[in-house]
Amino acid sequence: MGTWHEAVRGVLQIISSFRSVPSICNPNEQGTWLNQLHRSPAARDGVGRMNVRMLLLVVGCCVPSVNDAAPVQLDAAFGNGGIAGSIIDLTLAELALQKDGKIVVAGQWIDGMWRVARFTHNGQTDHSFSCDGWTSIMPTTTGGEGVEAIAIQPDGKILIGGTAINPTRRDFAIARLNPDGSPDTTFADGGIALLRAYRDEHGYLQALAIQSDGRILAVGDIGSYGGIQVIRLMPNGTIDTSFDNDGRIEVGLGSHNRCRGVVVQPEGKILLASGTYDSTQFGVCRLLPGGGLDTTFSGDGWVSHNFTPSRELPESISLDNDGKITLAGRVWTQTGATTYKVDYAAIRVLPSGDFDTSFAGDGRQIIPIGAPFNNLTDYGPWHVSRPDGKTLLGGWHPDPAGGNMQSCFVRLDETGEMDAAFGSSSIEVVLAGKEMIYGITAQPDGKIVASLHSGRIARFIVDVDTDGDGADDSTEAAIGT
């Protein structure tokens, strides 16, 4: 079967990789940042032993599953039984795919450091990246908070975005790495750009995008004021003062705005996924290429919907091949004095800014997913829009039966309704009680790579043998979010 063949290929790739693992890495040849931790010879020699252990684990996973008809399965040919990344020890990891299929992962590490790692297409450590597959970044001398965004430039350079800690505030922080993992000292100030929010408020970077001309958009939240800030940089990391006259713009709908995604349309207009905590708006904002709200988009530059009387927030945004805009996220409905019911939500908007009435009848869909829960820390969902018009959502939520959190996938059909052909109830639980999905993206072959709350990554095959012919059906191309 498809999964068996891929697992065997994965084992052969691991065996062949033994010859390419370096026995000794020269620290002077590695890309280093402030307080870079260098590995000892014993640790470096452990790479080979790790590969042997991984080989044994993967061989143990090569027996075809009796559940080959499940619509979502871990890809046994990836990492250790479908999961990779135990050596990087991160929390809340972000990921991005390179054009060559390699996977970049970054997240919070220790003492305010960020850690960045790269894996081969089959989930093995990429030793061509900073010698042993990972490097660390200290955004400021006082450290950083979590990594929230990764963007890969056309030349292979890697942008890592998050929040830097300063003595009196938080700033947007962007670091750039060369393709080999070394710091790109031609970018901003020695490889790191620190960007203040308006009025010296706290600024929390949430998303990055690269324009076709190489300019960089950094988007995030502004502290207690609650606005959304968009800053544009030149390719060298300096502020682009041609953008809204001073390189930045602040927008918002109500107060306590949050932005979790940015997409650039082919004509250069900028789409922001936006939600609010007080006025409960779930929607999208469009800016002109030079900054400023695009009033041709729904009349005022904003499209939003109020799903619930509590809180709501889109987590991902995609621009589909036909120009339609899809957003997915979560909504909270208060069910008691301290409890909330968390559900998933999605909207689809036409290029004009009107809701797409071919999607769920009115362009808006609620996906019942969770159970009463006593906090607002539920993550997800994130989504990928598929070429067949279907939408796959992935995230984590409280188990309706109580106890652990659980990860799941949900699929909407091309009309925006729950896809009855996907799982027993259109909701497929994965990694139950083990890991929590923190983001998803799609490979060109349709397989889904997910970052996990623990800092590891997983790869899933979706639509495994749904037609019963014994072959893997996950061959469609997909659009990343």
Side-chain angles (χ1 to χ4, degrees):
M1 295 184 181
T3 52
W4 166 258
H5 292 156
E6 291 184 352
V8 172
R9 285 197 299 269
V11 171
L12 295 176
Q13 287 164 346
I14 293 172
I15 293 172
S16 65
S17 73
F18 291 168
R19 294 189 298 271
S20 63
V21 174
S23 60
I24 293 180
C25 295
N26 182 353
N28 294 323
E29 295 176 355
Q30 298 181 50
T32 58
W33 295 86
L34 294 175
N35 296 340
Q36 168 83 35
L37 299 185
H38 298 303
R39 272 64 64 191
S40 67
R44 292 191 290 271
D45 291 342
V47 174
R49 293 193 295 273
M50 179 195 72
N51 275 337
V52 172
R53 292 194 298 270
M54 187 171 289
L55 171 63
L56 295 175
L57 288 169
V58 173
V59 169
C61 294
C62 286
V63 179
S65 169
V66 297
N67 190 31
D68 275 351
V72 180
Q73 288 185 3
L74 283 168
D75 182 0
F78 182 80
N80 175 12
I83 297 178
S86 60
I87 66 165
I88 57 177
D89 190 25
L90 300 177
T91 57
L92 303 180
E94 298 288 335
L95 66 85
L97 300 181
Q98 296 188 169
K99 290 185 295 185
D100 60 3
K102 293 182 179 181
I103 304 163
V104 178
V105 182
Q108 186 74 17
W109 191 32
I110 58 173
D111 297 330
M113 279 187 175
W114 298 344
R115 192 181 243 190
V116 186
R118 193 166 69 194
F119 296 86
T120 63
H121 72 282
N122 62 355
Q124 306 306 310
T125 300
D126 178 11
H127 293 281
S128 69
F129 184 80
S130 193
C131 184
D132 50 6
W134 65 270
T135 189
S136 59
I137 301 170
M138 182 73 86
T140 66
T141 55
T142 48
E145 294 185 352
V147 172
E148 295 293 345
I150 306 173
I152 310 297
Q153 296 186 174
D155 61 3
K157 292 185 178 182
I158 302 164
L159 295 170
I160 308 295
T163 300
I165 300 172
N166 281 304
T168 60
R169 65 181 188 277
R170 302 292 190 269
D171 292 334
F172 285 15
I174 305 171
R176 190 161 74 187
L177 301 174
N178 291 311
D180 64 359
S182 62
D184 179 7
T185 57
T186 68
F187 180 76
D189 183 8
I192 298 178
L194 297 177
L195 309 169
R196 288 191 182 187
Y198 277 116
R199 296 175 298 279
D200 280 341
E201 287 269 3
H202 293 306
Y204 302 91
L205 187 147
Q206 300 291 342
L208 292 170
I210 301 170
Q211 297 185 170
S212 59
D213 60 4
R215 300 183 195 199
I216 300 159
L217 293 167
V219 181
D221 311 330
I222 302 177
S224 59
Y225 181 77
I228 296 170
Q229 180 167 254
V230 182
I231 301 176
R232 191 164 74 187
L233 304 179
M234 300 296 289
N236 65 0
T238 59
I239 294 288
D240 176 12
T241 56
S242 70
F243 183 72
D244 206 52
N245 297 318
D246 63 355
R248 65 190 71 206
I249 186 172
E250 180 182 352
V251 295
L253 191 66
S255 59
H256 299 287
N257 292 266
R258 298 291 184 267
C259 182
R260 294 296 182 269
V262 56
V263 172
V264 182
Q265 294 181 300
E267 68 272 24
K269 293 182 178 181
I270 301 161
L271 298 168
L272 308 174
S274 173
T276 60
Y277 271 12
D278 61 344
S279 56
T280 59
Q281 298 293 323
F282 185 110
V284 57
C285 167
R286 190 163 77 186
L287 304 179
L288 296 168
L293 289 168
D294 178 9
T295 57
T296 68
F297 188 69
S298 191
D300 60 0
W302 289 91
V303 178
S304 63
H305 178 66
N306 184 349
F307 279 107
T308 73
S310 297
R311 299 182 181 183
E312 45 203 69
L313 183 66
E315 281 287 356
S316 60
I317 181 171
S318 66
L319 186 65
D320 303 338
N321 284 336
D322 57 5
K324 294 179 181 179
I325 304 154
T326 302
L327 292 92
R330 60 191 182 275
V331 297
W332 296 269
T333 301
Q334 192 157 3
T335 58
T338 61
T339 59
Y340 296 81
K341 183 177 184 294
V342 183
D343 293 315
Y344 290 173
I347 66 172
R348 184 168 292 163
V349 178
L350 299 172
S352 63
D354 297 314
F355 283 104
D356 178 10
T357 56
S358 71
F359 182 83
D362 60 2
R364 305 175 278 268
Q365 180 65 282
I366 285 277
I367 302 106
I369 195 75
F373 193 47
N374 62 1
N375 67 49
L376 299 173
T377 59
D378 182 51
Y379 285 98
W382 296 263
H383 80 282
V384 292
S385 295
R386 297 170 21 144
D388 60 3
K390 296 183 179 183
T391 304
L392 186 73
L393 298 87
W396 59 273
H397 62 91
D399 184 345
N404 290 325
M405 293 289 179
Q406 61 186 19
S407 294
C408 73
F409 287 103
V410 179
R411 193 169 70 193
L412 304 180
D413 63 22
E414 57 273 17
T415 69
E417 302 296 341
M418 300 282 280
D419 189 349
F422 185 75
S424 59
S425 62
S426 303
I427 300 172
E428 186 70 9
V429 175
V430 295
L431 306 174
K434 298 178 181 179
E435 289 275 14
M436 294 174 285
I437 289 175
Y438 193 65
I440 64 174
T441 192
Q443 295 185 166
D445 61 2
K447 294 180 181 180
I448 301 298
V449 182
S451 58
L452 305 175
H453 192 274
S454 67
R456 299 193 292 173
I457 54 176
R459 189 166 73 191
F460 296 92
I461 301 173
V462 180
D463 292 337
V464 177
D465 195 19
T466 54
D467 57 9
D469 66 357
D472 174 12
D473 300 330
S474 61
T475 57
E476 308 125 314
I479 307 167
T481 59

